[in-house]
Every structure is written in C-alpha cells, then in structure tokens.
Amino acid sequence: MSPIIADEVTQALQTVQPVPITNENFARWGQVVRLPDADPNAIQVNQGTAQKFSHLAEFINLRPSSTDSANPNPTLAPATANIAIFKCYKPVATPTFGIKLLERHSYSSQMFMPMGGDGNGSFIVVTAENGPDDKPVLSTLQAFRCNNTLGINYKPNVWHHPMIVIEKPVQFMTITHENGVALEDCEEYWFTKESGSEGGVAALIQLTL
C-alpha cells in the first residue's frame, strides 16, 4: 500500500485520536518502560533499601560495536551507545498537531525516558507501519498518550514521529546506538514530497479530548 497523500484543498485530512499507552497496544512498536505492577523476578538490592526490576526493554544494536574484533557486515560502520538528553521545551498549544514527516533508526532501538517524572508532563508517541515500498504508510498512523512517569523504547526500523510534548516541557534521557553516518543513524521521510511541498501537513493528531 502506498502512502495516502491528502489534498490540502479538496480532501479532509486524516485525523488520529491518541489512546492511552499500554504494554499490549504498544508491543508491535517496542516496549513501555515503567515499574511493573507485579514482578516475581524483582530482587532486593542495596542492602535491602531498594528493589531492582530488570529487562524492561530490549536494547538492540544491529551494527557491530567499536569493540568487536570482527565486523560481520563491513558495509556498516561500527556504532556505539549514545546516552543523550532531549530537552523538549516547546509544548504544543494547539488542539491538533500536523504530521509532515516520520523517522526511523534502522539499526538501533531508541529509548526515551522522562527525567523527574511527576505525572504532570504529557507527550504523544506516533507510529506507522512500513509499506512494501519501504516507506511509512500514512493510513496506518497510531498515536499514544503518555505521562512523564513512563518511558518508551522503539524497536529498530520503526517509523515514528519526533516527540510531541504537551502541557509543559519534558526532558528525556535517550539511549541509541549511533555511528555518525546520517542515514544509518536516522532516516527521515516527508510524506508530502510526492505533492511537491515539504511544508504541507499530511495528517492531524488530535491533542484535545
């Protein structure tokens, strides 16, 4: 299926309503990172002053690391983990948000974990399927509403939109494997290239209930 390109003049734009994120409805795209309601594998640590919950997300690197003695795929430069902070300081104040592009990280998972989560800062996660032409399929857009007490971890090669922060700024700690090769680290797809305009909006995400 080819991406649906909405005619901005004659055709109403597709509008997607975000749903509350759960482990189940996000599973095809990655993992929700938060304290489990119950975890039989949790252990007491730090002399009994803390609990440790392990393996909450899959940290994946599909390229060799810089420490690998043998490179199984010499066409790909080695990649190392980049722990970074994304300071999303411009919350969206409009009732809808226009989708112009999606991106993906073909060779790495990517985790976003809010810092100082108090439950009062919200963000929207947007994903889409990959089509047979190796492009995102606009008609499959899904949107998830999250608060800042949880994080998300994308699987490699998942089309997604950059974080959409609402209500107030949110800072995220992120972990991604990168090697400095632009298209290997992050590939962007602008939906409206086919219609000749990168400034146009191809779909809307409904931000107000």
Side-chain angles (χ1 to χ4, degrees):
M1 181 186 298
S2 299
I4 298 173
I5 306 302
D7 185 308
E8 296 175 19
V9 177
T10 62
Q11 180 178 339
L13 291 175
Q14 171 188 347
T15 301
V16 178
Q17 177 71 52
V19 298
I21 198 167
T22 67
N23 295 342
E24 292 74 23
N25 66 16
F26 192 68
R28 64 183 300 189
W29 313 113
Q31 302 87 42
V32 180
V33 185
R34 59 179 160 197
L35 284 175
D37 295 330
D39 184 353
N41 297 314
I43 59 174
Q44 295 291 120
V45 295
N46 297 351
Q47 297 76 51
T49 63
Q51 277 186 296
K52 180 180 179 181
F53 301 85
S54 298
H55 306 296
L56 300 180
E58 298 176 358
F59 190 41
I60 298 174
N61 179 19
L62 299 181
R63 292 168 289 193
S65 72
S66 58
T67 59
D68 289 340
S69 58
N71 186 343
N73 189 342
T75 64
L76 297 175
T80 56
N82 179 12
I83 299 174
I85 293 176
F86 278 47
K87 187 175 183 180
C88 298
Y89 54 85
K90 290 187 177 181
V92 178
T94 54
T96 59
F97 181 86
I99 298 297
K100 302 176 183 179
L101 80 156
L102 294 180
E103 64 180 39
R104 65 179 173 182
H105 313 283
S106 298
Y107 303 103
S108 177
S109 55
Q110 185 183 42
M111 186 179 77
F112 283 82
M113 195 71 201
M115 302 172 66
D118 56 9
N120 295 318
S122 297
F123 57 99
I124 303 296
V125 171
V126 177
T127 58
E129 294 179 5
N130 190 47
D133 55 359
D134 205 30
K135 298 176 182 178
V137 182
L138 183 62
S139 61
T140 67
L141 279 181
Q142 288 189 286
F144 304 90
R145 183 180 291 267
C146 315
N147 67 45
N148 67 8
T149 63
L150 59 84
I152 60 98
N153 185 62
Y154 293 114
K155 296 177 181 179
N157 211 40
V158 166
W159 289 109
H160 61 276
H161 193 274
M163 281 298 177
I164 303 169
V165 171
I166 57 178
E167 298 172 357
K168 73 174 192 178
V170 179
Q171 290 187 169
F172 297 91
M173 183 192 74
T174 70
I175 306 178
T176 315
H177 293 95
E178 296 178 343
N179 65 5
V181 180
L183 284 178
E184 291 182 12
D185 285 343
C186 182
E187 177 186 357
E188 291 183 348
Y189 181 79
W190 293 80
F191 282 109
T192 50
K193 277 185 176 179
E194 289 87 345
S195 61
S197 171
E198 290 191 1
V201 172
L204 296 173
I205 305 299
Q206 186 71 44
L207 300 182
T208 57
L209 300 176

